Amino acid sequence: MYDLPKVHKENIPVRPILSMVGSAQHELAKWLADILTPVLGIYSGFCIFDSFRFAEFIREFKGTLNTGYLCSYDIFSLFTNVPLDETIGICADSLYRGSLAKPSFPEHIFLELMNLATKSVEFSFNGNMYRQIDGVAMGSPLGPILANIFVGFQEQLLVEQWPKPMCYFRYVDDIFAICSSSAEAEGLLRHLNSLDPSLNFTIEREANDSLPFLDVLVERSGMGFLTSVYRKPTFTGQYLSWDSFSPRTSKINLVKTLVHRALKICSTIKLDTELQILTEIFLANGYPLYIIQKCIKEKTLTFKGGTLLGPQKSPVYVKPPWIGTKSQEFSHRISTAVSRCFFATKVRTVSGTRNAFPSFRNDSISTTEYNMVVYRFHSQCEADYVGHTIQRLEVRISQHVPPSIRRHKQ
């Protein structure tokens, strides 16, 4: 487990990340996540899955602009406060006693697998071993799904007990709402906090007829709501420098990506201002003006052109090391050669550079601290014994073999 600092918040709190990659339960968690996808669909009625769809809906919103009150709610430490037993029970009820197609295995097997993929996950921190017995981990494939299912279940209870606001959207632990008044927004906050002891909501109110949500700034105007790109106060404007030892395509694609975001999020009257901001940011990072203008022009024309019809070429990715101009020559030659021989493919080269610093490595633990293992004991009389255990190996050794003859091989 490691922490990521939230530099945009007061006192810089940290977000704990439990990386499950390479653990015994990682593949199981991915498999269970696929099984829980239909359950997530039941409890995703108020969910949005990206800021693009949110901006599009807000621009088309036809509510009462003069009386509507903008507010957003945040769930404090959602992932670590999700009650596992309750959430797993909600999933089991939906799969085995609801309208969904039942899995091919019985319910008690599902419960055992869910507990194995959540409560039995062991991790190291500062040289000590821990087990997360409640809450879900950021870094687990099951984390976002279980968090969304639990909050979505509570939202359905909210709709039954409280009138729905004029507008209500949730992205994981962030909620955007348009209420009829500030009093209704405060009442909604009190009702949200009364849903479940595990959930603690905070509120952010509109200021100067505007409110940020995700990376979208929503502003009230006489003709509706306007949207534009929102940047946090800690934003420094520093991106990949034009003079950095990186592929030219990576730098150009960076410009096009941010232009694409501006085209998707910004209202028409806000777009020119955002493109001017991007131009100034990239000029400060050393990008030539003609490159910036060319990327803006190309991306704008492509964005307005609509979706291409007909079969698309299948992408084939090649990842050569980045060593300068030689890598560019290699990418051009291999793309030309493949396109001549295979007309239905399109080569996409993704050049990589060597890390300047060693990559993050998980804390290493000794072999005897692993659980869920197959082991072999080798005795002095040349006889072998093979077994398996869900306990830690050192515990099983102490139960199985007297200390006087303890010799083992894994």
Side-chain angles (χ1 to χ4, degrees):
M1 188 185 73
Y2 60 95
D3 295 327
L4 294 179
K6 301 179 181 179
V7 296
H8 61 285
K9 292 191 175 183
E10 188 178 357
N11 298 325
I12 312 182
V14 295
R15 177 185 288 112
I17 306 295
L18 174 56
S19 176
M20 284 187 65
V21 177
S23 65
Q25 295 91 342
H26 185 248
E27 293 299 321
L28 173 61
K30 289 172 59 178
W31 182 70
L32 289 171
D34 292 335
I35 293 177
L36 293 178
T37 299
V39 182
L40 179 61
I42 296 177
Y43 299 107
S44 297
F46 300 105
C47 289
I48 55 169
F49 297 99
D50 56 58
S51 55
F52 299 154
R53 298 180 188 178
F54 170 74
E56 181 180 358
F57 181 87
I58 290 299
R59 288 195 297 266
E60 297 175 355
F61 181 71
K62 302 300 182 183
T64 305
L65 300 178
N66 296 329
T67 60
Y69 185 80
L70 304 178
C71 58
S72 65
Y73 304 89
D74 179 69
I75 306 176
F76 179 77
S77 299
L78 169 61
F79 279 66
T80 53
N81 286 301
V82 172
L84 274 179
D85 289 334
E86 181 180 350
T87 308
I88 293 175
I90 294 171
C91 297
D93 289 339
S94 301
L95 285 174
Y96 291 93
R97 282 172 289 279
S99 58
L100 299 176
K102 295 182 180 180
S104 58
F105 47 90
E107 182 177 356
H108 73 275
I109 297 296
F110 170 77
L111 296 175
E112 182 178 353
L113 293 176
M114 288 294 296
N115 288 325
L116 181 62
T118 53
K119 296 183 179 181
S120 298
V121 176
E122 294 185 348
F123 60 93
S124 59
F125 182 73
N126 284 344
N128 297 319
M129 294 296 297
Y130 300 89
R131 176 177 291 170
Q132 183 171 351
I133 59 175
D134 204 4
V136 295
M138 294 190 69
S140 166
L142 285 172
I145 290 182
L146 292 179
N148 271 314
I149 290 174
F150 174 68
V151 180
F153 177 80
Q154 301 299 327
E155 285 173 335
Q156 290 191 356
L157 298 179
L158 174 68
V159 172
E160 296 174 358
Q161 304 171 7
W162 186 265
K164 181 185 175 183
M166 292 188 292
C167 177
Y168 184 97
F169 285 110
R170 178 174 57 84
Y171 181 83
V172 189
D173 58 349
D174 294 315
I175 296 171
F176 178 88
I178 302 178
C179 299
S180 60
S181 63
S182 60
E184 184 184 9
E186 293 294 336
L188 180 59
L189 174 64
R190 291 192 298 269
H191 204 76
L192 287 170
N193 280 321
S194 66
L195 286 175
D196 192 279
S198 301
L199 299 178
N200 182 20
F201 291 82
T202 59
I203 186 174
E204 181 179 357
R205 303 165 183 84
E206 68 172 69
N208 300 322
D209 291 332
S210 64
L211 181 73
F213 183 71
L214 303 180
D215 58 345
V216 180
L217 180 64
V218 181
E219 300 178 70
R220 193 197 315 273
S221 70
M223 300 178 62
F225 289 106
L226 302 178
T227 58
S228 58
V229 175
Y230 172 73
R231 296 177 177 85
K232 294 179 180 178
T234 52
F235 177 74
T236 62
Q238 184 173 358
Y239 285 108
L240 180 66
S241 173
W242 182 260
D243 297 326
S244 63
F245 187 70
S246 301
R248 178 187 175 94
T249 54
S250 298
K251 303 166 187 176
I252 292 177
N253 289 337
L254 172 61
V255 180
K256 292 183 177 181
T257 297
L258 295 182
V259 172
H260 178 79
R261 181 178 71 161
L263 292 168
K264 294 282 286 186
I265 289 180
C266 293
S267 300
T268 304
I269 64 175
K270 293 286 186 177
L271 181 59
D272 290 340
T273 302
E274 175 61 23
L275 295 179
Q276 182 61 35
I277 293 174
L278 290 178
T279 301
E280 295 173 358
I281 289 175
F282 282 112
L283 285 174
N285 283 274
Y287 285 66
L289 179 59
Y290 79 93
I291 290 290
I292 303 172
Q293 293 176 340
K294 181 180 179 181
C295 292
I296 293 176
K297 181 179 180 180
E298 290 180 355
K299 195 63 186 178
T300 304
L301 291 175
T302 304
F303 185 79
K304 294 180 179 179
T307 305
L308 295 177
L309 301 177
Q312 302 295 317
K313 291 187 176 182
S314 176
V316 176
Y317 293 91
V318 180
K319 189 176 181 181
W322 174 252
I323 56 176
T325 56
K326 294 296 182 182
S327 296
Q328 289 181 330
E329 295 175 5
F330 170 79
S331 299
H332 177 70
R333 290 182 179 182
I334 194 171
S335 298
T336 303
V338 171
S339 62
R340 289 175 178 175
C341 300
F342 304 97
F343 300 102
T345 61
K346 181 178 181 180
V347 175
R348 295 182 179 177
T349 55
V350 184
S351 299
T353 56
R354 190 170 53 184
N355 292 334
F357 301 98
S359 59
F360 173 79
R361 296 181 181 275
N362 294 334
D363 294 341
S364 58
I365 60 176
S366 64
T367 305
T368 55
E369 291 183 326
Y370 281 103
N371 60 353
M372 303 290 295
V373 297
V374 176
Y375 60 89
R376 183 179 67 176
F377 291 117
H378 185 72
S379 66
Q380 295 179 350
C381 61
E382 302 301 325
D384 290 341
Y385 174 79
V386 178
H388 66 89
T389 179
I390 62 174
Q391 304 178 85
R392 290 191 187 180
L393 182 57
E394 60 183 357
V395 176
R396 183 56 178 158
I397 292 174
S398 64
Q399 297 172 347
H400 205 356
V401 182
S404 59
I405 60 171
R406 189 175 298 164
R407 293 177 61 192
H408 64 278
K409 295 181 180 180
Q410 286 77 31

